[in-house]
Amino acid sequence: MLNLVLFGPPGAGKGTQSAFLVEAYALVHLSTGDIFRANIKGQTDLGQLAQSYMNQGKLVPDDVTINMLEAEVNKHPDAKGFIFDGFPRTTAQAAALDAFLEGRGAPISGMLSLEVPEDELKARLTKRAETSGRPDDADPAVVQKRIDVYHAETAPVAAHYAAQGKLHAINGVGSLEDITERLRSAIDSI
Ligand code: AMP
C-alpha cells in the first residue's frame, strides 16, 4: 500500500497536486477540509461544529477530526493507498494516524512537504478567493490566522515524520507540471 501525506501551509498547492497524483498512482484522496466543507453544505451536525472553527481560521478539535478521518478510511476497504491532504495537522493527529494505520498493517509510506514562501502563499490565497467561494480565503485576517496556526500547530508534524525518515521536502514554487514532476520523483524514490 502507498500511503502518502501531502503536507504544507494553506495555499501550498496540496489540493491541486493531489488531483494529479490520485490519477497517476490510483490512490484515494482524503482531504479533511473538503470533507468538512461537504458536511457544511449538507448541513450536518459535524458541518455545523466545524464551520465555527473554519470561519475563524482555527483547527477543528482533534477528537472530532481523527474520528471523521478514520471513518473515511474505513469506507475504502479495497483502496491501493491514500493521499492524506490537510491531515494530520497536529502531532496528536499524526500519532493517532500512525496507530490507526499500524493496526491495519499499512503505515505512512512518506510525507511530501510543499515549501512555498509566505508572501507567495498570501498572493495565491487572495487569487483563489475570487473563485473558491471560501469565506476563509476572502478575509485577510483569517488567512493570516491560518498561516499562524500552521506555524504553531502544524509545522511540528514535519519533524514527527522526519524522525521516522519519511519527510521529503519539495519546492512548491514553479509551474504545476514541474511541481508534479518533483512530487513524482520523490514518490518513486520511496
Ligand atoms: P483546508 O481545506 O485544508 O485548507 O482546511 C480548511 C479548514 O478546515 C482549516 O482551516 C481547519 O479549520 C479545518 N481543517 C481541515 N483539516 C483539518 C485538520 N486535519 N484538523 C483540524 N482542522 C482541520
Side-chain angles (χ1 to χ4, degrees), residues 146-162:
R146 287 160 63 203
I147 292 174
D148 292 346
V149 165
Y150 172 80
H151 288 304
E153 299 185 55
T154 304
V157 176
H160 176 97
Y161 287 105

Side-chain angles (χ1 to χ4, degrees), residues 32-33 36-37 54 58-60 65 86-87 89 93 134:
T32 40
F36 285 134
R37 280 184 288 277
M54 291 168 79
K58 295 180 181 169
L59 295 182
V60 178
T65 307
F87 183 94
R89 250 179 165 97
Q93 290 179 13
R134 284 178 54 169

Side-chain angles (χ1 to χ4, degrees), residues 5-86:
V5 175
L6 193 51
F7 188 75
K14 301 185 293 294
T16 306
Q17 291 296 335
S18 288
F20 296 119
L21 298 179
V22 158
E23 202 159 327
Y25 295 92
L27 302 173
V28 173
H29 176 220
L30 291 183
S31 155
T32 40
D34 285 352
I35 300 165
F36 285 134
R37 280 184 288 277
N39 275 275
I40 291 171
K41 207 166 166 207
Q43 298 183 323
T44 68
D45 290 345
L46 175 64
Q48 204 169 22
L49 181 137
Q51 189 169 30
S52 58
Y53 294 94
M54 291 168 79
N55 285 348
Q56 298 176 69
K58 295 180 181 169
L59 295 182
V60 178
D62 280 337
D63 56 343
V64 174
T65 307
I66 291 164
N67 285 335
M68 177 185 84
L69 189 280
E70 293 184 357
E72 289 294 326
V73 170
N74 286 333
K75 285 182 189 169
H76 300 277
D78 299 326
K80 287 173 63 184
F82 293 88
I83 295 187
F84 299 102
D85 163 2

Side-chain angles (χ1 to χ4, degrees), residues 113-127:
S113 176
L114 288 168
E115 299 189 334
V116 177
E118 192 160 318
D119 52 353
E120 167 93 9
L121 295 175
K122 288 181 186 163
R124 288 185 189 180
L125 290 170
T126 306
K127 188 146 195 336

